[in-house]
Amino acid sequence: MGGSHNRVKGSAIVREVSTNFEDAISNHFGTRVPDYQQAQGAHSSYIAALRAHGTEVEVLPELRGYPDCCFVEDAAVVIDKTAVILAPGHPSRSGEVESVAAHLAETMGTIRLEGNGTVDGGDIVFLDDTFVIGRSSRTDALGAESLSRIIKSFDYNVEILKVPDSTLHLTTVCSSPREGTIVYSEGDMDASSLDEYADELIAVPPQESYAANTLGYPNDRVIIPSGFPETRKLLLDAGFSITTVDMDPIMQADGSLTCLSVFTG
Ligand code: GLY
């Protein structure tokens, strides 16, 4: 078997918010037009939170002409120090990939998907020794199969799950902040589709579904978006120590905590 998921998150790349952030895609969580300056402020708080948890963060410059460019998670996933370069499924986002790939290639090997399938990194959730790939409006069957073959070549288990139409990505509705635990949005997912993968399922209520996307660190530390009191209480009761980040300006473009990083080490 491959290794197991350690949640140290020693290093990450992020990318500056686009000055055209108002044109970012927004179909799910947005309540107003995405605002560049507000998003920049949230992005800075996010970076500060990662650094406070020990992640060395490298900030890439804005990619001109790509309003969603801060959502680097969709371009690549790092598996055992190799970057798997992905193929985002929205046409406006496919051009973001080469810049991320070139940057990652400076420090690690890279692998490409085979064929013409599409995969957004937002559809990949790493549990303890299993990668779950979501089939979604962005990640198609060909892409999921191609990624699955690559992941298996690293000796990890792979499962493919259908992402509900109510949401954008698999990471939007579930995350695994510590070994054996999955936090999921009960308004979007059935516990029965997840319980074989975890000892503990924490169900985020429908009105707080955005908070199902968490960032876990060792010793039961977790970053969650601010403004979701029921989820906060559920996680406190489950023994987590919590840091919150105001993600509302990023949420306006359907971006969650995990969307803003590729964890590289
Ligand atoms: N706005 C993020 C995405 O739709 O990919």
Side-chain angles (χ1 to χ4, degrees), residues 24-27 68 71 74 90 93 120 138 168-169 253-255:
I25 308 159
S26 175
N27 294 319
D68 288 282
F71 301 126
D74 293 316
H90 193 286
R93 301 207 52 203
D120 276 19
R138 300 288 179 85
L168 174 59
H169 285 138
D254 293 342

Side-chain angles (χ1 to χ4, degrees), residues 115-138:
N116 296 322
T118 60
V119 178
D120 276 19
D123 283 318
I124 304 168
V125 173
F126 189 22
L127 303 176
D128 299 320
D129 58 7
T130 299
F131 282 84
V132 183
I133 304 172
R135 281 271 321 278
S136 70
S137 60
R138 300 288 179 85

